[in-house]
Amino acid sequence: MRFRLIAVLLALSCIWGCVANNADLGIRVRDDPNGPVRYEGPLAGPYDDMETLVDAACERMLNQPVSSRGGQPLGYCAVFFSAPNDEGRDKWFIGHVAPLGVGGGDAGRSCVLPIDLVAPRSTEVLALGGGYDTSRGRRNWHPTLFLNGRTGETWERDVLVFSTSTPTECGVYSFTGFSRVVTEVRNGKFVPVGTVYNSQGSIEALGEAM
């Protein structure tokens, strides 16, 4: 199990080195034969819980330098996972981050993610659709799909989606592949806001949640 985890984490260091646009999002992994695997980089982790993970990620993402050509990033997708520490307690890590791209109208978003973190060159497109919520006095973007762009079927893996379309706000959504539940971070906590109800990745909001 430890060998498998080391292999995954070593692969992650290559992913970040190849994909991330800024050193602030980089992850380096060092396997010390005389001690535990060490995680180096401001965003890698470990984190005690998911709320701490997304807080740290949002802070880094909002402080990314603005490109003179691309302007403020729209957001990011992130692959995350948990692994036990030496005491058997689960810790949380970010393994891959990909920028959101525009497509499918003004609100359409997508990102490219690895199918398997051990083999990062094999990728799939996560289509997120998108819409804007103005009910709370701001024009907040939210996903309307979790769809595999190649197969046309519902996305199957856990993923975090960060919206940074404004310089001061970071919206966070999560999708759990097993349950197909969509959550949003509100007041520092993950709150269920929808479920994917069909095989085409469409999100059905829970009441007035989205």
Side-chain angles (χ1 to χ4, degrees):
M1 176 66 184
R2 184 173 181 271
F3 178 80
R4 167 74 174 177
L5 178 60
I6 291 170
V8 171
L9 293 170
L10 288 173
L12 298 185
S13 64
C14 175
I15 295 171
W16 278 86
C18 298
V19 176
N21 293 323
N22 187 278
D24 267 1
L25 299 182
I27 294 176
R28 298 173 303 280
V29 182
R30 299 189 185 278
D31 182 21
D32 183 352
N34 299 315
V37 176
R38 290 184 297 158
Y39 307 84
E40 299 177 353
L43 195 56
Y47 301 99
D48 289 336
D49 50 52
M50 285 292 293
E51 287 79 9
T52 306
L53 181 153
V54 298
D55 283 348
C58 278
E59 181 178 358
R60 291 287 173 182
M61 291 171 180
L62 287 174
N63 285 288
Q64 289 296 292
V66 176
S67 168
S68 59
R69 291 178 296 175
Q72 177 72 25
L74 295 172
Y76 303 87
C77 296
V79 178
F80 65 98
F81 64 95
S82 64
N85 63 8
D86 290 342
E87 299 174 349
R89 298 176 181 175
D90 278 348
K91 298 292 183 177
W92 294 89
F93 304 86
I94 292 180
H96 181 89
V97 167
L100 290 183
V102 178
D106 173 58
R109 304 283 186 270
S110 64
C111 57
V112 178
L113 294 172
I115 298 171
D116 186 343
L117 292 175
V118 179
R121 295 185 184 278
S122 181
T123 60
E124 299 276 20
V125 175
L126 169 58
L128 296 162
Y132 290 102
D133 172 22
T134 58
S135 63
R136 285 172 277 177
R138 297 187 298 272
R139 195 168 183 257
N140 295 321
W141 178 88
H142 62 82
T144 57
L145 294 171
F146 280 92
L147 179 71
N148 186 313
R150 180 182 64 83
T151 66
E153 298 180 351
T154 297
W155 190 256
E156 296 181 346
R157 292 174 290 280
D158 299 350
V159 66
L160 288 168
V161 178
F162 297 84
S163 175
T164 58
S165 53
T166 66
T168 59
E169 295 185 13
C170 179
V172 183
Y173 293 86
S174 76
F175 175 72
T176 303
F178 175 76
S179 65
R180 296 189 172 187
V181 171
V182 180
T183 63
E184 180 185 6
V185 174
R186 294 182 179 177
N187 298 318
K189 299 293 182 182
F190 282 93
V191 178
V193 294
T195 59
V196 171
Y197 67 93
N198 61 18
S199 61
Q200 288 79 48
S202 301
I203 299 173
E204 181 177 23
L206 299 176
E208 299 297 324
M210 294 182 74

